[in-house]
Amino acid sequence: MSSFNGNMKDGSYYSKSKTMPFQVEEEDISVLIFNYLRALSRGKWVILITFVATVLISVIYSFRQKDIYEGITSVLVRDNTRQSSVIVNFSVTDRRNLANEIEILKSRTLAEQVAYKLLQIIYRDPIRKTDTLDIIKGAGSAKIARVDVIAARIMGAVSVEQVDKADLLLIKFRSHDPEEAAVVSKAIAESYEERSMKYTRNTARSVRQFLEDQLAQKRRLLYESEERLRRFMEDNRVISLDEEGRRMIQRYSLAMSSAEEAEVMVKMLQSSLKAYEQEIRAMTPKLSNSAVQATIDPYTKLFQEEIAKLEVERDKILTDPASRYNVNVQERLQEYNDKIESYKKRLQQSFERQVKQGLSNVNASEAYQELFKNKLNTELELIEQKSKFEAYKKLAEEYDKAFLKSPGVNVEFGRLERKTKSAQELYLLLEKKYQEALIAEEQVPKMVEVIDWAITPGAPIAPNRKANILVGVVIGLTFGVGIVMLIQFLDKTVYTPEQAERLGPLLATIPMMESFDDDVRDKSGASVKVIEGPDAEYKKIASHLVTHFDPKSSVSEAYRTLRTNILFSGVHDFNGSKKQGLIYIITSSSPKEGKSTTISNLAITIAQGGQKVLLIDTDLRRPIIHSIFGYNKEPGITNYLVGRAQIDDIVRNSPIQNLDIITSGTIPPNPSELIGTQRMKDMLQLFRERYDIVLLDSPPIIAVTDPQVLAKVADGMILVLLSGQTQIELAKRSIDAIRKVNAKIIGFVLNSFDFNNSYGSYYKYYRYYNYYYEPKGKNKNVKQGFLTKIIERLVDKV
């Protein structure tokens, strides 16, 4: 035994494990996991109640909600860029951005149009005309709501979605009534379709009206020219011109009509350019300034002007009938065509480069890019038409000068005839364009086409009761576990041996004792009956003297472990050089932590080991040892200290061999002063000589100073911690109080530890010990739940 004692002297047994960092780290991980698993196990009812309550609330909430139905109408927004035959690259309907269309569908303006339409429909079933739509019903006495109220309701329940990357929009309207959901969705689609058609027709109408005004003006000019020519012919009796005069008039009229046609085109292109600029401003207000101000650069403009001049020169040659058979003229025409093609290629490259530069610093949609490109292209066409107008006008002037060289009367006649001819050709051209515009206005393509009208939904889309309940299940579990984890985080109580070991050496872990026997007083075998009324808790404490009543139980073995660890704590000398007995104080941080049960069973266990033990009840404020063993309080230690009894009068022989007991005696008014007297010290010195071990049951150290007074004459103190009750901070304060008087703390005892709710090595130890030491007929196997088995395996793996 001496060699074993040498390795554990002065508590080195407990410090030895600290030299093994790997094991400590592994234990820390296990402890951490175990603490959380223990918290879940202990808080299973909190989790269950929280879970049931949350699921119940989600079920009630889900089934109290009204069903929501959704009517869906799908519409196709066409991406047509229809070129008008009137103006090159002028589109009646330009590319639209679907994001803009979605905003239009959700706008207040369209909602008000839908509200007016619903006020005409009125009924949920428009065919049978039954049941008024809820959306148009007024509040209070009003039968019908105002238009703005209906529009607000529509805006709050409508949603629009784009189908992937297609030009298909889904108009969705939600309502508690399935018929109303379908009716309102249809009304929104109809209003949107009507608005789109009105917009596209207005665009085509503006082209037609412009041509109509121009045609009226040219008709009047043609009539005036014809009338002047007729009067001149009547007054001067002129019938016709010669062949050369007619040829010169034909050239002049063609040149003049081309110039006037170019002038009309300039006006129309300017109108088109203005429309593009307005649409750019409406689409992207933040970018409108740069986009609107962007114009054709001089280099590109020069190419377009040269092309226009070359085309006019080419047309001038083509008007000469003799050019068809002249080889030299044909070669000149080919040169003109080659130059025109070359300039067109360079113009295209320059134009594309300018478009790319104009969009390089703009993060815009495809619709905006197309609109910007069309705007520049229109400006380029405008430059071409202006150049043609100037060139044809100049050419007409040249023909006019040549014609003026004709003799006398033919000059005036030719002038009137050429004006008439020019007006007639321009009128015929505008008449043709006007007819095309009329056809285009009537054949305007529909920008919006309804693909599928909404039908009455057969099932609600919300609430999704299954999903709500599932969310309630998840939230309930999460919330329940969160509450338990929060309680665990805030709980600073000692529960496990690992927590106790962080405070200092752990001498033993005493399992929880749940047995209670009403006849335990009779089983105690005490010969002395209690005179005063029994203490309220003595039966429970007396029933826990398992070391006497059930010495083969696992709890008794735990007390024997405590005895062994105390004897090998370094205070004892097994070589026999120490003659006097040792004094130990058993205390706790607060009342009812099991110190009296611990000291009673420890005394019995040491006595069963063959050593003489004296158990003294020094808790002079709330004594209980006398009730446990069935004695009267008097005479006791206080009677001796005040001189009213002798040593032999207060020492009582218990039925347990080698165990003597001294009760408290009369409760004094000044316990601390009484136990601090010299007489107390002399008495304890006397007991050192008579007994191997003297155990002092003292009051809680935080409550009173009695343990600190006794610590000066004791060899060591043992602090009892109650699992699940003793606060860590309170235990630390108890340690500080003991250290202040330079007393020695031998170690701690963790009392009432629930092995059934523990996992890993502690549970296995308890189970294995029951297997070997529990007598037959008792429940040797501690039942484990499914969750307990899983948690134990997880902890073992860690």
Side-chain angles (χ1 to χ4, degrees):
M1 297 293 289
S2 60
S3 61
F4 184 68
N5 178 51
N7 291 333
M8 295 181 291
K9 194 170 183 178
D10 296 329
S12 61
Y13 173 76
Y14 302 99
S15 62
K16 180 180 179 181
S17 63
K18 296 180 182 180
T19 63
M20 303 171 67
F22 178 79
Q23 291 183 358
V24 172
E25 182 181 358
E26 185 177 23
E27 290 175 0
D28 288 342
I29 296 175
S30 300
V31 170
L32 179 63
I33 295 176
F34 165 71
N35 287 339
Y36 283 107
L37 296 179
R38 177 184 53 80
L40 292 175
S41 178
R42 290 173 54 246
K44 56 183 176 291
W45 289 109
V46 175
I47 297 175
L48 180 61
I49 293 172
T50 305
F51 171 76
V52 172
T54 306
V55 173
L56 185 61
I57 291 173
S58 65
V59 170
I60 295 173
Y61 172 77
S62 298
F63 284 93
R64 290 190 64 180
Q65 283 186 305
K66 293 182 179 180
D67 290 338
I68 299 177
Y69 297 87
E70 187 174 66
I72 304 176
T73 301
S74 60
V75 297
L76 176 65
V77 181
R78 297 188 182 278
D79 185 18
N80 291 335
T81 305
R82 182 179 179 273
Q83 292 185 350
S84 170
S85 59
V86 180
I87 301 177
V88 178
N89 288 335
F90 178 76
S91 58
V92 175
T93 55
D94 296 317
R95 183 187 296 271
R96 291 288 192 81
N97 191 346
L98 286 182
N100 294 339
E101 301 304 313
I102 292 174
E103 294 302 319
I104 291 173
L105 281 165
K106 296 190 293 185
S107 66
R108 173 169 289 277
T109 302
L110 187 66
E112 290 178 351
Q113 295 178 9
V114 177
Y116 284 114
K117 185 177 289 292
L118 293 177
L119 290 174
Q120 296 174 356
I121 297 174
I122 299 178
Y123 301 105
R124 291 169 51 196
D125 189 346
I127 299 177
R128 298 180 180 179
K129 296 184 177 181
T130 57
D131 300 329
T132 304
L133 292 167
D134 292 334
I135 196 170
I136 67 172
K137 290 181 180 179
S141 59
K143 294 183 179 180
I144 302 297
R146 300 194 312 271
V147 172
D148 59 335
V149 175
I150 300 174
R153 294 174 181 173
I154 294 171
M155 293 173 65
V158 68
S159 62
V160 184
E161 295 180 4
Q162 182 179 1
V163 179
D164 296 330
K165 296 182 179 180
D167 294 336
L168 198 67
L169 298 180
L170 301 180
I171 303 174
K172 301 180 179 180
F173 185 83
R174 294 188 175 187
S175 173
H176 296 300
D177 181 69
E179 287 83 4
E180 182 178 86
V183 168
V184 178
S185 179
K186 290 179 181 178
I188 295 173
E190 290 174 355
S191 299
Y192 176 59
E193 187 178 24
E194 292 171 0
R195 180 193 178 282
S196 176
M197 181 59 68
K198 181 180 179 181
Y199 171 80
T200 53
R201 284 188 181 275
N202 287 341
T203 305
R205 188 179 297 112
S206 64
V207 175
R208 190 261 304 166
Q209 289 176 349
F210 175 81
L211 290 174
E212 190 173 9
D213 294 339
Q214 293 292 320
L215 188 62
Q217 294 177 15
K218 301 306 177 183
R219 184 187 298 113
R220 186 173 60 253
L221 292 175
L222 176 60
Y223 175 78
E224 294 174 354
S225 297
E226 290 176 342
E227 186 64 23
R228 282 195 297 269
L229 179 62
R230 185 185 63 78
R231 287 198 301 266
F232 182 85
M233 291 176 68
E234 289 179 353
D235 294 341
N236 296 279
R237 300 181 182 274
V238 177
I239 299 175
S240 64
L241 293 174
D242 56 12
E243 184 66 24
E244 180 64 22
R246 286 198 301 271
R247 189 163 53 249
M248 293 181 67
I249 290 175
Q250 181 70 23
R251 289 182 179 180
Y252 173 82
S253 62
L254 288 175
M256 198 63 191
S257 63
S258 298
E260 290 179 351
E261 180 184 359
E263 185 179 13
V264 172
M265 295 291 286
V266 166
K267 293 179 180 179
M268 296 181 69
L269 285 169
Q270 287 175 340
S271 177
S272 177
L273 183 62
K274 185 177 180 180
Y276 279 127
E277 292 173 351
Q278 291 176 350
E279 191 164 356
I280 288 176
R281 286 193 182 96
M283 180 178 292
T284 53
K286 294 181 180 179
L287 304 175
S288 60
N289 291 333
S290 61
V292 172
Q293 294 174 3
T295 183
I296 299 296
D297 59 35
Y299 193 63
T300 307
K301 182 178 179 180
L302 179 62
F303 286 145
Q304 185 71 304
E305 291 175 348
E306 289 296 325
I307 291 173
K309 291 179 182 179
L310 289 171
E311 287 178 346
V312 171
E313 291 293 330
R314 182 188 60 185
D315 293 342
K316 178 180 177 181
I317 296 175
L318 290 174
T319 56
D320 186 2
S323 63
R324 300 179 181 177
Y325 308 104
N326 192 326
V327 177
N328 294 330
V329 173
Q330 291 296 325
E331 291 179 354
R332 288 179 61 193
L333 288 174
Q334 186 62 39
E335 291 178 2
Y336 278 121
N337 289 330
D338 293 342
K339 288 183 179 179
I340 290 172
E341 290 299 322
S342 176
Y343 275 118
K344 282 185 177 181
K345 290 181 180 179
R346 298 168 68 182
L347 173 65
Q348 183 66 25
Q349 295 174 357
S350 179
F351 178 76
E352 291 178 355
R353 181 172 62 253
Q354 184 173 358
V355 171
K356 186 176 181 180
Q357 290 175 353
L359 296 173
S360 60
N361 297 325
V362 179
N363 185 14
S365 63
E366 183 180 352
Y368 171 81
Q369 296 176 12
E370 186 70 20
L371 193 62
F372 179 77
K373 183 177 179 180
N374 288 342
K375 184 253 184 188
L376 291 182
N377 195 36
T378 302
E379 186 176 354
L380 199 63
E381 291 290 331
L382 183 60
I383 294 171
E384 180 185 9
Q385 294 302 325
K386 284 183 178 180
S387 298
K388 284 185 177 181
F389 172 74
E390 296 294 336
Y392 279 120
K393 187 176 180 181
K394 184 177 180 181
L395 183 60
E397 291 175 354
E398 292 177 0
Y399 287 145
D400 186 53
K401 290 177 181 180
F403 183 75
L404 290 176
K405 295 179 180 179
S406 298
V409 67
N410 290 338
V411 174
E412 184 64 23
F413 177 74
R415 182 179 297 169
L416 292 174
E417 187 172 0
R418 72 186 180 186
K419 285 184 178 180
T420 303
K421 187 73 173 176
S422 176
Q424 185 179 13
E425 290 183 359
L426 181 60
Y427 177 78
L428 292 176
L429 174 65
L430 289 177
E431 177 68 22
K432 180 181 178 182
K433 299 293 184 182
Y434 177 70
Q435 294 299 327
E436 291 176 353
L438 285 176
I439 296 173
E441 184 179 1
E442 293 299 325
Q443 296 180 350
V444 170
K446 295 175 64 176
M447 272 288 295
V448 176
E449 180 182 356
V450 177
I451 304 301
D452 290 318
W453 291 101
I455 60 175
T456 302
I461 63 166
N464 191 339
R465 295 182 173 87
K466 291 182 179 180
N468 291 345
I469 295 173
L470 181 60
V471 171
V473 169
V474 175
I475 293 177
L477 287 175
T478 304
F479 192 53
V481 172
I483 291 175
V484 171
M485 292 295 101
L486 179 62
I487 294 173
Q488 170 67 18
F489 177 75
L490 298 176
D491 189 2
K492 303 301 180 181
T493 305
V494 178
Y495 281 98
T496 64
E498 291 86 357
Q499 291 174 311
E501 287 177 348
R502 292 194 181 99
L503 298 172
L506 181 61
L507 300 174
T509 300
I510 308 302
M512 179 184 292
M513 293 177 286
E514 298 179 354
S515 62
F516 179 77
D517 191 349
D518 290 331
D519 299 329
V520 70
R521 276 297 272 156
D522 300 329
K523 292 181 180 180
S524 64
S527 58
V528 181
K529 300 301 181 182
V530 179
I531 298 176
E532 70 275 9
D535 191 282
E537 58 179 332
Y538 85 89
K539 284 188 176 183
K540 184 175 181 180
I541 296 177
S543 67
H544 287 176
L545 296 180
V546 293
T547 52
H548 178 59
F549 299 127
D550 195 2
K552 291 187 177 182
S553 67
S554 59
V555 181
S556 298
E557 181 61 25
Y559 281 113
R560 284 192 284 271
T561 301
L562 174 61
R563 175 197 64 186
T564 302
N565 288 336
I566 292 175
L567 295 180
F568 286 94
S569 63
V571 178
H572 289 269
D573 187 351
F574 289 90
N575 292 327
S577 60
K578 200 163 186 177
K579 302 297 183 180
Q580 296 183 343
L582 298 173
I583 300 176
Y584 296 110
I585 300 175
I586 311 297
T587 186
S588 61
S589 299
S590 59
K592 297 184 179 180
E593 291 188 353
K595 62 178 181 60
S596 297
T597 302
T598 300
I599 197 171
S600 300
N601 282 284
L602 177 61
I604 295 172
T605 304
I606 297 175
Q608 289 174 346
Q611 292 179 298
K612 293 189 65 176
V613 182
L614 176 62
L615 174 58
I616 304 176
D617 191 352
T618 56
D619 188 350
L620 304 183
R621 302 169 190 274
R622 197 167 180 269
I624 201 171
I625 294 297
H626 64 284
S627 299
I628 295 175
F629 289 93
Y631 298 113
N632 295 326
K633 285 192 295 184
E634 301 176 3
I637 187 173
T638 57
N639 302 102
Y640 171 76
L641 293 178
V642 298
R644 295 182 181 178
Q646 300 299 320
I647 292 293
D648 294 337
D649 296 333
I650 63 174
V651 176
R652 306 184 185 189
N653 297 323
S654 71
I656 300 170
Q657 188 177 3
N658 296 325
L659 176 60
D660 292 339
I661 299 172
I662 298 179
T663 59
S664 61
T666 305
I667 297 178
N670 53 346
S672 298
E673 290 78 3
L674 191 61
I675 62 177
T677 60
Q678 186 61 39
R679 186 175 177 84
M680 179 69 175
K681 296 178 182 178
D682 295 339
M683 182 191 69
L684 291 177
Q685 183 62 33
L686 178 62
F687 290 149
R688 283 180 183 273
E689 298 175 357
R690 293 187 180 182
Y691 295 92
D692 296 318
I693 301 292
V694 178
L695 300 177
L696 304 181
D697 182 15
S698 71
I701 192 169
I702 296 298
V704 295
T705 60
D706 297 11
Q708 292 173 293
V709 175
L710 292 172
K712 296 179 180 180
V713 295
D715 295 296
M717 299 186 70
I718 301 170
L719 191 64
V720 177
L721 309 174
L722 181 59
S723 177
Q725 178 174 319
T726 302
Q727 298 292 322
I728 295 176
E729 291 300 322
L730 202 59
K732 291 180 178 179
R733 288 177 56 189
S734 301
I735 296 171
D736 292 338
I738 296 172
R739 289 174 177 173
K740 285 180 181 179
V741 296
N742 296 324
K744 182 177 181 181
I745 301 177
I746 298 177
F748 300 90
V749 176
L750 182 62
N751 191 31
S752 192
F753 178 63
D754 189 359
F755 279 95
N756 291 332
N757 289 332
S758 63
Y759 310 98
S761 58
Y762 286 101
Y763 176 80
K764 289 183 176 181
Y765 163 76
Y766 186 53
R767 184 178 60 190
Y768 295 157
Y769 188 84
N770 285 339
Y771 177 81
Y772 283 107
Y773 288 96
E774 287 290 346
K776 292 183 180 181
K778 292 189 177 182
N779 186 14
K780 297 183 290 182
N781 299 321
V782 181
K783 292 183 178 180
Q784 283 183 289
F786 179 72
L787 180 61
T788 303
K789 293 179 180 179
I790 292 178
I791 294 175
E792 179 188 348
R793 292 180 181 178
L794 290 175
V795 174
D796 287 344
K797 289 182 178 180
V798 177

